């Protein structure tokens, strides 16, 4: 028990150091740091204007109201921004490490390689839009009056959803051990995750199934959002847990297979 | 002038050297079209026509939005920012070439490569899914669409060139560049046709240059404007383009006066 706790504390300390380094790097260009709110704010404004205009013409989108759509959007954005803050920069950079032969410098460090590959590069400049998405969730749920249990479950499933998204993206990035196009795949799946901000009902059955299982874009956003709205779909919650574990197992298996396959650039 | 055609060729070759990124870009844009078509299909179940659009016309709209979006690029701002930050701009200033022309020809070459596959994909959709798209019935609208798309490309290129010149003052402009790109899309009709906006907003938005980026070329393709309106819009579009060229020239000259680099 003690070695596990001390190991955990050690990794937390390393994570904090990495966060500090990335913060200092980001603050090298202060105006650019604070202007991160521009593209994210414009994107959010674009989407909100878009659904506002739609709701000016129709009463609902597949039975979903404006506030419900806003919750879906804010939760989807929350996942997107939290990914970028903690691990997305690293995952994006990983294919380049393999291509350039500099992965050796990371793999030989006296620290878990997956940890370094996942969290070495962070984007603290996304913190402002990240908190913005939380504010949008709070605003959109102003008429819901969720219970304490509902909010707690919502937070729990959001945290689990972050892990699920990480597992999927990390699995794709690990394909860099075999192909040079892994970064394109990661960007492509990013696009698919944008589907999560729309209600499940708009998708035909086979598309919906794909978005609930293979690339769980809709599952990841829909389950916590519906819990916040007081909708407890036990089948989807069970599916969420199953997909979370399966995605973790697959990501670890692919990563280990990639490490075995990897041949170093140096002698 | 010959040297600039070489830059066009180089831009084309650099982009074509990574065909996978072109394929994936087409797939990404196709996914966006699919998403919007699914969303609007769900909406048309409530009402068969919304804002003057049916399923075929709105599908046509979003296919063309994605094709036009592939044509646009942030390359002018990105390359200028990189060259200023690294000091590589000095290379170009010392050589007997016009940096703006170099950037323009290089970008055109690059975008010719990037957009070739998407245009092919669109042709496939137009031929094999005729029920989902509406083509213009007259050649003048086809020609008008291509002319205005080219003007739109030049306007977008010039706006981003001006944004790139801000690198002379603030070093890193990545988020500013991306923010302005998002703003151009929002005000230009990338998310939804401008006709969905309230009348007052439409009258303001149609006076801005961003309407030429998506909204106006698509209105021409969907034959929602007369030939006379096209002619007037062409005149106004050229005035906007000329204005941005003048502003770009001023910001470039002021920036170069301020520019410092180490080495040599």
């Amino acid at each position: 028990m003690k070695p596990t706790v001390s190991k955990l504390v050690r990794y937390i300390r390393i994570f904090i150091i990495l966060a500090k380094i990335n913060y200092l790097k980001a603050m090298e260009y202060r105006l650019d740091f604070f202007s991160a709110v521009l593209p994210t704010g414009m994107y959010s404004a674009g989407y909100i204007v878009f659904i506002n205009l739609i709701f000016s013409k129709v009463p609902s989108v597949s039975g979903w109201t404006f506030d419900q759509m806003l919750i879906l959007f804010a939760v989807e954005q929350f996942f997107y921004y939290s990914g970028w803050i903690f691990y997305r920069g690293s995952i994006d950079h990983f294919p380049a490490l393999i291509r350039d032969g500099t992965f050796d410098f990371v793999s030989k460090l006296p620290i878990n390689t997956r940890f370094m590959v996942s969290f070495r590069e962070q984007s603290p400049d996304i913190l402002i839009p990240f908190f913005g998405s939380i504010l949008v969730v709070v605003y959109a749920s102003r008429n819901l009056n969720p219970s304490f249990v509902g909010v707690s479950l919502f937070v729990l499933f959001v945290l689990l959803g972050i892990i699920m998204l990480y597992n999927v993206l990390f699995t794709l990035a690990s394909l860099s051990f075999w192909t040079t196009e892994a970064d394109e795949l990661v960007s492509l799946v990013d696009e698919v995750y944008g589907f999560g901000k729309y209600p499940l009902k708009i998708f035909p059955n086979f598309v919906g199934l794909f978005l609930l299982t293979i690339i769980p874009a809709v599952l990841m956003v829909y389950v916590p959002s519906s819990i916040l709205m007081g909708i407890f779909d036990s089948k989807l919650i069970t599916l969420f847990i199953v997909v979370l574990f399966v995605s973790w197992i697959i990501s670890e298996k692919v990563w280990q297979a990639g490490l075995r396959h990897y041949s170093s650039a140096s002698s | 002038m010959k040297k600039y055609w070489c830059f066009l060729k180089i831009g084309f070759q650099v982009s074509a050297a990574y065909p996978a990124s072109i394929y994936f870009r087409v797939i990404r844009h196709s996914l966006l079209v699919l998403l919007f078509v699914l969303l609007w299909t769900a909406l048309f179940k409530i009402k068969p026509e919304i804002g003057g659009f049916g399923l075929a016309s709105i599908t046509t709209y979003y296919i063309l939005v994605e094709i036009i979006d592939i044509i646009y690029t942030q390359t002018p701002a990105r390359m200028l920012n990189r060259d200023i930050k690294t000091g590589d701009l000095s290379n170009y200033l010392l050589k007997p070439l016009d940096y703006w022309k170099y950037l323009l020809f290089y970008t055109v070459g690059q975008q010719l490569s990037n957009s070739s596959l998407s245009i092919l994909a669109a042709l496939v959709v137009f031929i094999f899914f005729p029920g989902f798209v509406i083509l213009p019935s007259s050649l003048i609208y086809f020609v008008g669409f291509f002319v205005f798309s080219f003007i739109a490309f030049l306007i977008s290129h010039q706006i981003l060139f001006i944004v790139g010149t801000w690198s002379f003052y603030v070093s890193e402009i990545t988020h500013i560049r991306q923010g302005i790109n998002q703003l151009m899309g929002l005000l230009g009709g990338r998310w939804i046709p401008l006709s969905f906006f309230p009348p007052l907003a439409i009258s303001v938005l149609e006076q801005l240059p961003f309407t030429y980026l998506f909204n106006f070329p698509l209105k021409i393709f969907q034959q929602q404007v007369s030939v006379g309106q096209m002619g007037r819009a062409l005149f106004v579009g050229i005035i906007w383009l000329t204005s941005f060229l003048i502003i770009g020239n001023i910001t470039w000259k002021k920036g170069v006066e301020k520019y410092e680099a180490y080495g040599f």
Side-chain angles (χ1 to χ4, degrees):
Chain A
M1 187 70 178
K2 260 193 174 169
T4 310
V5 170
S6 66
K7 210 174 174 183
L8 182 63
V9 167
R10 178 173 170 246
Y11 277 96
I12 290 172
R13 280 203 186 121
I14 294 170
F15 183 86
I16 291 169
I17 290 168
L18 290 171
K20 277 185 187 164
I21 292 169
N22 282 288
Y23 174 76
L24 289 170
K25 266 169 60 179
M27 286 301 273
E28 204 184 328
Y29 300 104
R30 286 182 195 208
L31 181 62
D32 195 57
F33 179 91
F34 290 109
S35 58
V37 73
L38 266 175
T40 53
M42 284 294 122
Y43 181 82
S44 299
Y47 180 80
I48 291 168
V49 165
F50 172 64
I51 59 167
N52 238 316
L53 291 173
I54 285 178
F55 275 91
S56 69
K57 308 284 184 197
V58 297
S60 69
V61 176
S62 292
W64 287 62
T65 64
F66 176 78
D67 281 345
Q68 289 173 329
M69 296 279 292
L70 209 54
I71 290 175
L72 279 180
F73 170 69
V75 171
E76 186 261 339
Q77 290 288 288
F78 179 87
F79 283 124
Y80 180 77
Y81 296 141
S82 56
W84 273 103
I85 288 171
F86 295 114
Y87 58 78
R88 186 58 202 277
S90 291
I91 285 179
D92 264 14
H93 188 61
F94 176 57
L97 290 178
I98 303 283
R99 263 199 315 268
D100 302 342
T102 49
F103 178 63
D104 293 3
F105 298 121
V106 178
S107 63
K108 296 303 170 216
L109 290 171
I111 188 170
N112 184 283
T113 307
R114 179 167 177 166
F115 177 86
M116 277 308 279
V117 163
S118 301
F119 302 113
R120 198 163 77 143
E121 296 191 25
Q122 297 161 28
S123 304
D125 50 345
I126 306 296
L127 274 169
I128 299 173
F130 170 77
F131 287 118
S133 67
I134 295 173
L135 288 175
V136 176
V137 171
V138 169
Y139 171 78
S141 53
R142 67 196 181 285
N143 294 324
L144 290 177
N145 294 317
S147 63
F148 176 75
V149 170
V151 172
S152 307
L153 283 173
F154 168 73
V155 170
L156 172 66
F157 276 90
V158 161
L159 293 172
L160 294 177
I162 292 172
I163 298 171
M164 189 191 292
L165 177 60
Y166 161 76
N167 289 340
V168 173
L169 293 178
F170 189 81
T171 305
L172 292 171
S174 300
L175 298 177
S176 305
F177 287 115
W178 295 276
T179 173
T180 54
E181 315 303 348
D183 43 356
E184 296 288 353
L185 267 175
V186 171
S187 298
L188 183 65
V189 166
D190 228 10
E191 209 65 67
V192 175
Y193 270 97
F195 283 42
K197 58 180 167 287
Y198 297 98
L200 177 60
K201 280 186 191 166
I202 73 165
F203 302 108
N205 289 340
F206 64 96
V207 175
L209 192 61
F210 180 83
L211 295 171
L212 286 172
T213 51
I214 313 296
I215 309 285
V218 168
L219 183 71
M220 185 182 75
V221 176
Y222 181 82
V223 168
S225 302
S226 58
I227 286 172
L228 188 65
M229 290 181 232
I231 305 166
F232 291 87
D233 188 329
S234 55
K235 283 187 189 150
L236 283 181
I237 290 173
T238 309
L239 182 63
F240 187 103
I241 307 289
V242 168
V243 169
L244 174 66
F245 276 106
V246 168
S247 65
W248 173 260
I249 292 166
I250 292 174
S251 76
E252 191 56 26
K253 292 277 183 218
V254 171
W255 169 250
Q256 293 298 337
L259 284 177
R260 285 192 298 272
H261 180 269
Y262 177 70
S263 54
S264 167
S266 53
S267 56
Chain B
M1 198 61 192
K2 238 191 201 174
K3 60 193 168 206
Y4 298 108
W5 289 106
C6 289
F7 290 127
L8 190 148
K9 217 166 97 177
I10 290 168
F12 187 93
Q13 286 170 343
V14 165
S15 179
Y18 301 98
S21 67
I22 299 177
Y23 303 143
F24 276 100
R25 187 175 292 122
V26 171
I27 296 170
R28 278 204 303 276
H29 284 267
S30 304
L31 284 175
L32 281 172
V33 173
L34 174 66
L35 176 61
F36 280 115
V37 168
L38 288 174
L39 174 65
W40 283 96
T41 304
L43 294 173
F44 286 124
K45 284 180 184 162
I46 304 170
K47 262 165 129 178
E49 198 183 87
I50 300 171
F53 283 83
L55 184 59
S57 49
I58 206 76
T59 303
T60 307
Y61 185 90
Y62 283 110
I63 289 174
L64 291 170
V65 157
E66 294 307 323
I67 290 175
I68 291 175
D69 197 50
I70 289 180
I71 294 171
Y72 299 147
T73 175
Q74 298 180 39
T75 297
R78 197 170 34 233
M79 279 178 69
L80 185 46
N81 178 234
R82 182 202 63 198
D83 289 341
I84 291 170
K85 259 172 44 179
T86 57
D88 277 349
L89 186 65
S90 310
N91 264 325
Y92 299 98
L93 295 175
L94 291 170
K95 292 190 166 87
L97 62 87
D98 182 306
Y99 186 82
W100 181 86
K101 280 186 193 159
Y102 148 70
L103 209 52
L104 177 66
F105 277 78
Y106 181 90
T107 307
V108 168
Q110 189 183 54
Q111 293 314 99
L112 278 173
S113 173
N114 286 339
S115 52
S116 51
L117 194 60
S118 62
I119 291 169
L120 263 171
L123 279 171
V124 166
V125 172
F126 290 154
I127 293 166
F128 290 102
F129 299 97
F132 274 100
V133 292
I134 299 174
L135 298 175
S137 55
S138 163
L139 186 62
I140 188 117
Y141 288 102
F142 266 113
V143 172
F145 172 71
F146 284 111
V147 167
F148 275 87
S149 296
F150 183 64
I151 290 174
F153 168 77
L154 291 175
I155 289 176
S156 162
H157 176 93
Q158 194 54 24
I159 289 173
L160 285 162
F161 177 78
I162 292 168
V163 171
T165 59
W166 298 347
S167 307
F168 287 117
Y169 306 98
V170 292
S171 297
E172 185 54 68
I173 58 158
T174 303
H175 290 129
I176 296 172
R177 164 172 59 82
Q178 290 169 346
I180 286 174
N181 197 50
Q182 288 286 348
L183 181 68
M184 294 199 307
L186 172 59
L187 301 181
R190 203 213 178 292
W191 279 94
I192 195 169
L194 293 189
S195 57
F196 277 73
F197 283 76
L200 180 62
I202 294 174
S203 60
V204 170
L205 290 172
E206 286 188 343
Q207 305 309 314
L208 298 177
F210 312 115
T211 189
Y212 290 92
L213 298 179
F214 295 98
N215 184 60
F216 204 78
L218 297 182
K219 277 174 83 165
I220 292 172
F221 195 91
Q222 295 184 309
Q223 299 178 169
Q224 291 172 0
V225 295
S226 64
V227 176
Q229 283 173 318
M230 263 200 279
R232 276 192 296 279
L234 183 63
F235 177 69
V236 174
I238 289 172
I239 290 178
W240 275 116
L241 180 58
T242 309
S243 308
F244 285 126
L245 285 169
I246 293 169
I247 294 169
N249 196 32
I250 293 169
T251 56
W252 168 257
K253 283 191 174 144
K254 291 234 178 280
V256 167
E257 279 168 23
K258 189 185 179 302
Y259 175 70
E260 287 175 356
Y262 296 101
F264 301 98

